[in-house]
Amino acid sequence: MKFGKYIEINADPEWKEFYIDYGKLKKSIKLNDIEGFVAILDEQLAIVNKFFETTSETYSIKVAELKAAVKSAKKTGGKTKRKEFVNVYKDLERLKEFIHLNFKVSR
């Protein structure tokens, strides 16, 4: 399987616009445009980094809120938000795969 197809298949559709654009990079290499390649790679890595930072911050806040809810539930004997924990875990796994795939493209 060609690498571009591998990326297309494995990229999270919801976050597709935040992945490194492998096609742009490949095109600049075919044109033997090293300066263009470096500029495109820097631009694409900035997009990935901004998305990762924003998303990580969002999930850090969610985890802190869930920890507080668990602490409160323990004190009051209430139910924990198990489903929310599972959803955050799944989203963090998606984020891990996002980083992993972008790392493969950038090396």
Side-chain angles (χ1 to χ4, degrees), residues 65-106:
E65 289 171 350
L66 288 171
K67 281 182 178 181
V70 167
K71 190 175 183 178
S72 174
K74 283 182 180 178
K75 287 181 182 177
T76 63
K79 292 185 178 182
T80 60
K81 299 181 177 189
R82 186 176 190 284
K83 186 176 180 179
E84 289 182 47
F85 272 107
V86 170
N87 288 339
V88 168
Y89 175 80
K90 286 178 182 178
D91 285 343
L92 290 172
E93 282 294 313
R94 287 173 54 209
L95 187 59
K96 181 179 90 173
E97 290 303 315
F98 170 84
I99 293 302
H100 181 73
L101 188 56
N102 278 293
F103 175 75
K104 282 184 173 184
V105 173
S106 68

Side-chain angles (χ1 to χ4, degrees), residues 2 9 11-12 38 40 47 52 68-69 72 80 91 97 99:
K2 295 210 176 213
I9 290 170
D12 188 310
V38 171
I40 291 167
I47 291 167
F52 177 76
S72 174
T80 60
D91 285 343
E97 290 303 315
I99 293 302

Side-chain angles (χ1 to χ4, degrees), residues 19-99:
Y19 283 86
I20 291 175
D21 188 336
Y22 178 72
K24 276 187 180 179
L25 292 173
K26 188 174 176 180
K27 193 175 195 178
S28 67
I29 289 171
K30 283 184 178 180
L31 295 172
N32 203 21
D33 181 9
I34 301 301
E35 289 179 18
F37 173 82
V38 171
I40 291 167
L41 183 58
D42 284 345
E43 171 190 297
Q44 295 295 308
L45 288 173
I47 291 167
V48 169
N49 189 52
K50 183 175 180 173
F51 175 76
F52 177 76
E53 286 178 350
T54 303
T55 306
S56 294
E57 185 177 325
T58 298
Y59 287 112
S60 291
I61 292 167
K62 285 183 180 182
V63 167
E65 289 171 350
L66 288 171
K67 281 182 178 181
V70 167
K71 190 175 183 178
S72 174
K74 283 182 180 178
K75 287 181 182 177
T76 63
K79 292 185 178 182
T80 60
K81 299 181 177 189
R82 186 176 190 284
K83 186 176 180 179
E84 289 182 47
F85 272 107
V86 170
N87 288 339
V88 168
Y89 175 80
K90 286 178 182 178
D91 285 343
L92 290 172
E93 282 294 313
R94 287 173 54 209
L95 187 59
K96 181 179 90 173
E97 290 303 315
F98 170 84
I99 293 302

Side-chain angles (χ1 to χ4, degrees), residues 1-10 22:
M1 174 184 310
K2 295 210 176 213
F3 191 63
K5 190 69 172 171
Y6 173 82
I7 294 168
E8 185 181 319
I9 290 170
N10 290 288
Y22 178 72

